[in-house]
Amino acid sequence: MDRGVYVFTDGNIRIETQLNGIAKKVNNITSKEGIQSAIKKAQGGQIDFETFIELAGEAGIAYWTADLIKMDVSYFDASNHIVVIEPIPEYEC
């Protein structure tokens, strides 16, 4: 988040792109409760993506990864420690 870069990888190939990413400040203190609250608000449609990344940075989240095989998102602090793992909700047609 502090670089504003999106990274896409399949484990072998890594692509970094700016897209619409804007660098955000990441708090030095990690708050599991803070990121859980931001996730809940985002999933509930109460906040937009820009607000979500602001709240994630305030919660000390440096980056997150989405695993589309395991169907989960892992949120990491600046020391590369997992703070929260959240399942990706199933999409129903």
Side-chain angles (χ1 to χ4, degrees):
M1 291 205 349
D2 61 347
R3 292 184 5 192
V5 173
Y6 291 85
V7 179
F8 301 93
T9 182
D10 68 358
N12 297 314
I13 299 171
R14 179 182 172 99
I15 299 171
E16 291 189 14
T17 184
Q18 191 70 32
L19 294 178
N20 64 343
I22 299 169
K24 301 289 184 182
K25 182 183 180 305
V26 176
N27 196 339
N28 293 329
I29 299 171
T30 304
S31 170
K32 182 176 182 176
E33 295 78 18
I35 189 59
Q36 288 174 322
S37 174
I39 292 166
K40 184 176 180 179
K41 289 176 183 176
Q43 289 177 342
Q46 298 170 333
I47 58 175
D48 62 15
F49 185 66
E50 287 298 319
T51 303
F52 175 76
I53 59 176
E54 286 283 341
L55 293 173
E58 289 174 13
I61 301 302
Y63 66 97
W64 56 88
T65 61
D67 186 321
L68 301 180
I69 304 298
K70 294 180 183 175
M71 292 300 289
D72 64 26
V73 179
S74 298
Y75 296 86
F76 295 81
D77 64 17
S79 298
N80 297 318
H81 296 117
I82 295 175
V83 178
V84 171
I85 298 175
E86 180 73 18
I88 297 172
E90 289 187 28
Y91 176 77
E92 296 188 27
C93 298

